[in-house]
Amino acid sequence: MHFHLTEEQIAIQEAVRGTLADNWPMARLHAFAESDADFDPPSWQALMALGLGGILLPDSGMGLLDAALASQIAGEAAAPGPLIGQMLAVHAVALSSNPDVAGFLDDLVEGATVATLALDGSDHVQSANAARFFLTGSRNGPLELVEAGAGVTITPMPSTDRSRPLASVTFDGAMTHQLFAAGDPFIARLFDAALILVAADALGGAQKCTDMSVDYAKTREQFGQPIGRFQGLKHQLAQMALEVEPAHAFVWYAAYAWDAQLPDAPRAAAMAKAHLADVYVRCTRAAVAAHGGIGYTWEFGLNYWFRRAIFDRAWLGSPAEHRARAAQMAGW
């Protein structure tokens, strides 16, 4: 394994970053958060035009590490849309032996139809109103693709994350396609992939908050000098950097281990989700403090990353839950 990104991987991140800079500026994020929408078609179509929908196709030449790099930049931009669900749904449909789902693949890859995650229950589903498909299941049960429409009830729910509005979704007689039967090893791998992609989203957000804080400390002046010269703030910013910088390798290794199917891949996934969820929350809190009063204002926008951090921490299991799983896998 190379312990740095290749030129191609750096290009993936720069393409996603540039696309979101053009299609998801702060003004758009503000407008979206203040609306009743749970999906933003223009930014979604721009991301899908990059080919992110098919990044986990078996013949794409890419893998979970590349998907994690894209998820990292989506987290950096506080992007809306169920990107993680789309990538995983394409991966699952492409590898399923169920012939009934083969016809769905092309539109999923192109992003013309939207898939979102409803794993381990359906109380925190992103972009539910825009979804054509819901990827459902649990580690111990079958993995299924449920079609929107008859038998699907969507109820918007309050959410701290204003960049990814949530809904409670119930399924009662909905059209359901089994992708993998209960006990199939693929299901556990898909859950681990989801944990890594959420960790990558958290990594991007934590890096964004650190960068914003450093930039602010260089330009905001008090007593005739930049506040970044004050010793207390220097220590705070250094601590944020010390939290975030090694976390890159943490996430990238977990994705690499998943791609290579290394023996420690499940434990690496659990640890990445647990650690990055905590790092993200700590960095957003520190960022708000570093910005002083302006950090608390709605207009400045730091709240989007703080709120996103709270959701990433809870999504698909808490840090305590995944640390317990990691300890059990290690035989502790």
Side-chain angles (χ1 to χ4, degrees):
M1 175 185 178
H2 296 289
F3 290 93
H4 55 81
L5 301 181
T6 66
E7 291 184 3
E8 292 79 6
Q9 290 167 335
I10 293 172
I12 290 172
Q13 290 201 309
E14 290 304 315
V16 177
R17 183 177 287 114
T19 295
L20 288 172
D22 291 339
N23 292 276
W24 193 244
M26 181 62 72
R28 286 281 299 279
L29 177 51
H30 279 319
F32 181 77
E34 293 169 358
S35 74
D36 294 328
D38 70 352
F39 186 71
D40 181 69
S43 62
W44 179 259
Q45 292 161 6
L47 289 177
M48 292 299 103
L50 295 177
L52 297 186
I55 201 168
L56 288 178
L57 284 172
D59 59 355
S60 70
M62 293 182 282
L64 189 66
L65 178 53
D66 304 286
L69 297 176
S71 184
Q72 179 182 337
I73 305 304
E76 177 185 291
L83 179 61
I84 293 174
Q86 192 81 8
M87 294 189 293
L88 293 179
V90 167
H91 184 61
V93 169
L95 292 178
S96 175
S97 60
N98 184 346
D100 294 339
V101 302
F104 304 147
L105 190 58
D106 288 347
D107 283 347
L108 284 168
V109 169
E110 294 172 5
T113 58
V114 177
T116 190
L117 288 185
L119 299 176
D120 277 342
S122 53
D123 289 335
H124 301 92
V125 180
Q126 302 169 12
S127 302
N129 289 297
R132 163 83 191 282
F133 298 107
F134 300 87
L135 187 61
T136 69
S138 65
R139 283 183 178 269
N140 298 320
L143 187 70
E144 297 175 325
L145 197 68
V146 181
E147 293 193 45
V152 177
T153 302
I154 299 171
T155 305
M157 60 184 298
S159 170
T160 188
D161 185 355
R162 300 295 290 272
S163 67
R164 297 175 297 188
L166 303 177
S168 174
V169 182
T170 58
F171 307 111
D172 184 11
M175 178 65 72
T176 301
H177 307 275
Q178 181 171 287
L179 301 177
F180 293 89
D184 193 300
F186 175 86
I187 298 174
R189 273 183 54 79
L190 182 126
F191 269 78
D192 289 338
L195 296 180
I196 293 166
L197 293 177
V198 175
D201 181 274
L203 172 61
Q207 184 69 65
K208 172 71 173 182
C209 290
T210 302
D211 293 343
M212 289 176 68
S213 300
V214 171
D215 290 343
Y216 186 73
K218 290 177 179 178
T219 57
R220 177 72 168 94
E221 291 189 359
Q222 286 184 352
F223 307 109
Q225 61 181 325
I227 61 173
R229 293 184 178 178
F230 300 151
Q231 192 73 8
L233 185 55
K234 283 183 179 181
H235 289 164
Q236 186 172 327
L237 297 176
Q239 182 60 40
M240 293 170 70
L242 284 171
E243 294 257 32
V244 174
E245 190 57 34
H248 286 80
F250 211 147
V251 174
W252 296 347
Y253 175 76
Y256 164 78
W258 190 94
D259 283 331
Q261 300 191 44
L262 299 183
D264 68 336
R267 185 169 183 269
M271 289 300 296
K273 169 59 167 70
H275 184 65
L276 266 298
D278 280 343
V279 166
Y280 195 6
V281 171
R282 287 195 294 267
C283 280
T284 55
R285 287 176 173 168
V288 171
H291 281 81
I294 196 174
Y296 291 88
T297 65
W298 177 264
E299 293 78 10
F300 192 71
L302 259 177
N303 73 91
Y304 294 118
W305 285 273
F306 178 79
R307 293 163 181 263
R308 198 172 174 109
I310 298 300
F311 178 68
D312 277 356
R313 190 178 192 278
W315 195 17
L316 301 180
S318 69
E321 176 184 339
H322 289 297
R323 287 192 177 98
R325 288 184 57 241
Q328 184 178 31
M329 285 186 278
W332 297 352

